[in-house]
């Protein structure tokens, strides 16, 4: 089953102006539910724009985006927010955590806007995913006192706490040493065995080689789909 279908996606910034930027050009992409996909390309190639559109953070200028059999281009802002919260988990390059808050508070955040877990279920779910990413016992530790690898585990726990279908990760290993990066990729592989669909933007060929498929993008166009 296809979980994502992009058809002739174009994205233009400052459309019609002298400084118009054509960030994505006629992009076609199909992602099967449960597969893992690497997106590779140099800076400015369109990787971040593609990720933002896949994550419903931005809309295409033209084309069609089908996510879980829903036409995303027809959704309003409120509907997109619900889709993001329920369907997509984000892992950011800079972790995107609240450093003065604890692991528990950071991981709990998406559930404040969710209908999936309520009341006592929330605490149980947060502790469950903290254990799942290997941080059991650190629930009350502040993020600012943690290593880069631990912070990335917190970010992954936050991304999966609402049990989304899709995990989107932007350079999740770029700030980590090779040993820690390997541990993070092992964690992603475990998520895949649970049926999650993984889309990871990376510059690291070793990371890409661990995934099912690699897509190369340059100048807003997909060059290779292996």
């Amino acid at each position: 089953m296809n979980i994502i279908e992009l058809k002739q996606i174009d994205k233009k910034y400052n459309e019609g102006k002298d400084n118009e930027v054509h960030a994505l050009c006629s992009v076609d992409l199909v992602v099967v539910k449960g597969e893992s996909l690497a997106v590779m390309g140099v800076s400015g190639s369109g990787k971040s724009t593609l990720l933002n559109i896949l994550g419903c953070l931005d809309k295409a200028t033209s084309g069609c985006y089908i996510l879980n059999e829903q036409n995303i281009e027809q959704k309003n802002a409120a509907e997109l927010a619900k889709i993001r919260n329920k369907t997509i988990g984000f892992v950011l390059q800079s972790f995107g955590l609240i450093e003065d808050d604890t692991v528990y508070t950071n991981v709990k955040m998406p559930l404040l806007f969710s209908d999936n877990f309520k009341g006592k279920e929330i605490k149980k779910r947060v502790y469950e995913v903290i254990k799942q990413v290997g941080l059991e016992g650190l629930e009350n530790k502040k993020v600012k006192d943690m290593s880069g690898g631990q912070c990335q585990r917190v970010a992954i726990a936050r991304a999966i706490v609402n049990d989304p279908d899709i995990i989107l990760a932007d350079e999740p290993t770029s700030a980590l040493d090779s040993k820690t990066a390997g541990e993070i990729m092992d964690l992603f592989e475990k998520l895949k065995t649970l049926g999650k669909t993984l889309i990871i933007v990376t510059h690291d060929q070793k990371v890409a080689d661990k995934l099912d498929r690699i897509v190369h993008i340059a100048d807003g166009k997909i060059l290779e789909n292996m």
Side-chain angles (χ1 to χ4, degrees), residues 16-76:
K17 299 180 180 179
D18 292 339
N19 59 342
E20 178 179 289
V21 175
H22 204 166
L24 293 178
C25 308
S26 301
V27 169
D28 292 321
L29 179 66
V30 173
V31 181
V32 176
K33 184 176 177 61
E35 80 166 321
S36 58
L37 177 71
V39 179
M40 303 190 76
V42 300
S43 297
S45 60
K47 301 189 305 299
S48 294
T49 301
L50 178 61
L51 207 64
N52 286 341
I53 288 176
L54 290 173
C56 301
L57 295 170
D58 199 359
K59 277 194 170 186
T61 304
S62 62
C64 181
Y65 177 17
I66 305 297
L67 173 63
N68 267 343
E69 300 181 341
Q70 298 183 77
N71 189 335
I72 295 302
E73 303 308 311
Q74 296 176 352
K75 303 297 182 182
N76 60 35

Side-chain angles (χ1 to χ4, degrees), residues 38 40 185 202 204-214:
M40 303 190 76
M185 287 309 299
T202 183
D204 190 336
Q205 189 65 49
K206 291 181 180 178
V207 170
D209 288 341
K210 289 179 177 289
L211 306 179
D212 294 334
R213 190 158 56 101
I214 301 173

Side-chain angles (χ1 to χ4, degrees), residues 30-159:
V30 173
V31 181
V32 176
K33 184 176 177 61
E35 80 166 321
S36 58
L37 177 71
V39 179
M40 303 190 76
V42 300
S43 297
S45 60
K47 301 189 305 299
S48 294
T49 301
L50 178 61
L51 207 64
N52 286 341
I53 288 176
L54 290 173
C56 301
L57 295 170
D58 199 359
K59 277 194 170 186
T61 304
S62 62
C64 181
Y65 177 17
I66 305 297
L67 173 63
N68 267 343
E69 300 181 341
Q70 298 183 77
N71 189 335
I72 295 302
E73 303 308 311
Q74 296 176 352
K75 303 297 182 182
N76 60 35
E79 290 170 330
L80 290 176
K82 288 182 180 180
I83 290 170
R84 284 195 301 271
N85 185 263
K86 183 177 180 180
T87 307
I88 303 167
F90 296 90
V91 180
L92 305 176
Q93 182 177 358
S94 58
F95 311 136
L97 303 171
I98 303 172
E99 294 189 354
D100 285 329
D101 278 344
T102 64
V103 171
Y104 179 87
T105 302
N106 272 278
V107 175
K108 179 183 176 182
M109 194 69 65
L111 299 184
L112 300 178
F113 310 97
S114 169
D115 295 327
N116 289 358
F117 301 91
K118 295 181 180 180
K120 294 180 180 179
E121 293 178 343
I122 291 178
K123 185 174 183 179
K124 180 181 178 182
R125 176 60 179 168
V126 173
Y127 272 80
E128 183 180 89
V129 296
I130 288 174
K131 181 179 180 179
Q132 187 177 341
V133 301
L135 294 177
E136 187 176 14
L138 299 179
E139 292 85 359
N140 295 317
K141 190 169 184 176
K142 289 191 175 182
V143 169
K144 66 182 180 183
D145 298 323
M146 306 183 82
S147 69
Q150 289 176 323
C151 287
Q152 194 61 287
R153 288 176 184 271
V154 177
I156 292 171
R158 183 189 56 189

Side-chain angles (χ1 to χ4, degrees), residues 177-206:
D177 61 76
S178 57
K179 180 178 181 296
T180 306
E183 292 171 352
I184 293 300
M185 287 309 299
D186 288 343
L187 184 51
F188 278 121
E189 288 179 7
K190 288 180 182 178
L191 291 173
K192 184 178 182 299
T193 65
L194 296 175
K196 304 301 179 187
T197 302
L198 307 178
I199 300 177
I200 299 178
V201 167
T202 183
H203 283 99
D204 190 336
Q205 189 65 49
K206 291 181 180 178

